[in-house]
Amino acid sequence: QVQLVESGGGLVQAGGSLRLSCAASGRIFSINVMGWYRQTPGKQRELVATISNGGVTNYADSVKGRFTISRDNAKNTVFLQMNSLKPEDTAVYHCNFRVGNYYGINNDYWGQGTQVTVSS
């Protein structure tokens, strides 16, 4: 079993910055893709950013140029640096890891979510 623990959410004024972290523990053979998603009440969870094990990144258009995703493979940790935050970035942010096992089977794991609130 794999557990993901997130940290770094909070309340910030518009234009401010926050850094989210998500660390994985448990039976991990490989982590292929790490990502961040966010969700607001009444809406579907949406992709924010992903990073492959080769370092290839992908961002939602709404966060390009403001957010940066990175990973520390040695620590099984992914980060999301969020700058120039806007009120519309307010959401619960969830990390997602696509973890491969010894047999080459991938499973998705989710963090419990961390609240990010941006005040205007």
Side-chain angles (χ1 to χ4, degrees):
Q1 192 69 353
V2 175
Q3 296 82 38
L4 305 185
V5 178
E6 300 159 353
S7 61
L11 173 65
V12 65
Q13 287 189 332
S17 298
L18 284 174
R19 187 178 191 233
L20 306 182
S21 301
C22 178
S25 61
R27 287 192 164 189
I28 298 171
F29 185 74
S30 65
I31 301 177
N32 298 317
V33 180
M34 299 178 178
W36 290 95
Y37 293 72
R38 65 188 181 187
Q39 189 168 21
T40 54
K43 292 188 177 182
Q44 284 191 328
R45 191 171 295 184
E46 64 174 4
L47 179 145
V48 176
T50 61
I51 183 167
S52 72
N53 56 5
V56 177
T57 58
N58 178 50
Y59 295 94
D61 288 342
S62 59
V63 307
K64 282 181 181 176
R66 300 187 297 121
F67 291 10
T68 302
I69 189 170
S70 60
R71 61 191 282 171
D72 184 336
N73 291 329
K75 297 182 178 179
N76 293 332
T77 300
V78 66
F79 306 96
L80 186 67
Q81 178 66 43
M82 304 185 293
N83 299 328
S84 303
L85 282 160
K86 303 175 181 180
E88 51 263 44
D89 294 318
T90 296
V92 176
Y93 285 70
H94 297 267
C95 60
N96 169 267
F97 283 19
R98 178 153 293 176
V99 180
N101 64 18
Y102 178 79
Y103 302 101
I105 298 173
N106 291 320
N107 289 291
D108 281 334
Y109 295 91
W110 292 91
Q112 79 284 0
T114 185
Q115 177 70 46
V116 171
T117 303
V118 184
S119 63
S120 57

